[in-house]
Amino acid sequence: MLSIDLEEYRSWTGQIPDDALDDLVSLAGDRLTITRQAAATVEIRATAHVGMLVTPEVSVRIRPKIDLDNLFYMLGIGDKAWTVDRADAPYAVVDDDLVTAVVRLFCREVERLTGRGLAHGYVPQAERLLAIRGRVDLGSVMRRPWERTPVPCQFDEFIPDIWLNQVLLAALTAVRQVPALPGPLRGEIHLLAQRFEGVSIEKIDTGEIDRWRPRRNDRRYAVAVRVAGVILNHLSVADRDGLGRAASFTINMIKQCEDC
C-alpha cells in the first residue's frame, strides 16, 4: 500500500496507478485537491480537512497544524463538561496521527470503564411468560382475550444492554473496520469488543450523544461517550467491489473553528 503523509494545506507529488487514483478521487471528494500532471504524475494537496483517507491501495494521512491537545479541546474533549485526566489518558502520544490518537484515547477509556465488568441498568421488557412477572400487559390481554397463556408481561430487567454500553460498542464496531491502524491497537479493539456480551449493536443517534449530559452516577462515562460521538460523527467505512475496504475519518478545521 502506498502511504502518503501530509500536513494541513501541504502537497505531495508522485505517481499513483490510474485505478488506485480513481478510488482515491471517489473517496476524497472535496477533502483533497487532486491534479493529474504530465508523465502519470499526480499532485495531492490537503485542504482544511485533517485525518485519514484509506483505499485498498492508497493511504493518505493529513496532520493538523495545531497540536493534538488543542484539537481535542476544540472537539469538546477538554472543556469543562468533558475533562480528560492527562495522567490516566495521555492521548497526544509523540508521532501519533489524529485517527490513531482518537482511537487510542477511546480504547483507554473503555478499558478503564469495563475492567471490572460492564455497567448494568434496568431496561423495560415485554414478553409472554408462563408465570406472571412484573405487570400484566392489559392492553395485549384485551386485544387477544382468548390467549390465557402465556401471559403478556411488562417488567424491568437489570441487564448490560443500556444506552451507554450501546454507544461504546457502536464506536468499537466502527473502528474495528478501519484499515491501516497499528496492529497492537487493532488487537486491543478486538479484545475490548468481546467484553460487551449481552449488549446489542444499535444505530446510534449522534445528536443524542451531543445532547447527553452525565449525571452523578455515570459521570465517569463522560470522556468515553464524547470520544465515541467524535468517532461516529466523522468515521465512514465502505467495501469497494469486494476488493478491499475504504475508510475516511476527517475533520473540517474551518467548521471546527467556527463551532468553537
Side-chain angles (χ1 to χ4, degrees):
M1 175 183 287
L2 173 63
S3 296
I4 301 172
D5 287 321
L6 294 172
E7 191 177 81
E8 188 181 351
Y9 291 111
R10 299 286 180 153
S11 64
W12 172 92
T13 301
Q15 293 186 335
I16 302 177
D18 288 341
D19 290 344
L21 182 60
D22 291 340
D23 279 348
L24 181 61
V25 170
S26 175
L27 177 66
D30 62 354
R31 291 175 290 183
L32 292 174
T33 300
I34 301 175
T35 306
R36 299 176 189 262
Q37 299 180 341
T41 302
V42 177
E43 181 188 47
I44 298 177
R45 180 173 294 275
T47 62
H49 296 266
V50 299
M52 175 192 72
L53 297 143
V54 180
T55 72
E57 297 182 58
V58 182
S59 169
V60 181
R61 296 179 185 268
I62 308 107
R63 301 174 186 270
K65 289 184 176 180
I66 63 174
D67 292 338
L68 288 179
D69 281 359
N70 294 331
L71 178 54
F72 273 49
Y73 187 91
M74 292 169 64
L75 290 170
I77 302 173
D79 62 20
K80 293 181 180 179
W82 314 100
T83 302
V84 174
D85 187 342
R86 292 301 305 279
D88 294 333
Y91 51 82
V93 180
V94 176
D95 293 332
D96 252 6
D97 62 272
L98 171 62
V99 180
T100 305
V102 170
V103 175
R104 193 185 304 279
L105 170 60
F106 181 63
C107 287
R108 288 181 177 176
E109 285 297 303
V110 174
E111 167 67 34
R112 180 179 63 83
L113 292 169
T114 62
R116 297 184 179 180
L118 295 178
H120 285 53
Y122 287 100
V123 179
Q125 305 286 319
E127 193 174 344
R128 300 186 76 92
L129 303 172
L130 294 176
I132 294 176
R133 180 180 179 186
R135 304 172 299 280
V136 175
D137 186 350
L138 296 179
S140 295
V141 172
M142 294 178 66
R143 285 192 296 271
R144 305 174 69 91
W146 58 87
E147 292 186 359
R148 296 187 178 182
T149 59
V151 181
C153 300
Q154 295 178 336
F155 54 93
D156 293 335
E157 191 163 11
F158 194 63
I159 57 177
D161 197 16
I162 58 177
W163 182 80
L164 287 172
N165 288 334
Q166 290 172 358
V167 169
L168 301 185
L169 180 57
L172 280 173
T173 302
V175 296
R176 283 180 73 176
Q177 304 178 66
V178 177
L181 285 177
L185 187 56
R186 295 180 65 84
E188 185 177 352
I189 294 167
H190 179 71
L191 293 176
L192 289 173
Q194 291 181 339
R195 296 183 179 181
F196 286 79
E197 184 177 357
V199 180
S200 56
I201 299 177
E202 303 286 346
K203 183 175 177 58
I204 302 298
D205 178 7
T206 54
E208 189 175 355
I209 295 178
D210 295 336
R211 294 187 296 271
W212 178 76
R213 287 297 178 268
R215 298 168 296 183
R216 181 175 59 86
N217 291 339
D218 51 27
R219 193 171 298 156
R220 66 188 186 279
Y221 277 82
V223 174
V225 170
R226 183 59 175 171
V227 181
V230 172
I231 290 170
L232 295 174
N233 263 315
H234 297 283
L235 178 63
S236 175
V237 180
D239 289 320
R240 292 295 174 106
D241 300 326
L243 300 176
R245 183 163 286 156
S248 65
F249 181 99
T250 58
I251 295 170
N252 187 331
M253 294 300 294
I254 294 177
K255 184 178 184 302
Q256 201 62 52
C257 289
E258 292 173 350
D259 292 341
C260 289

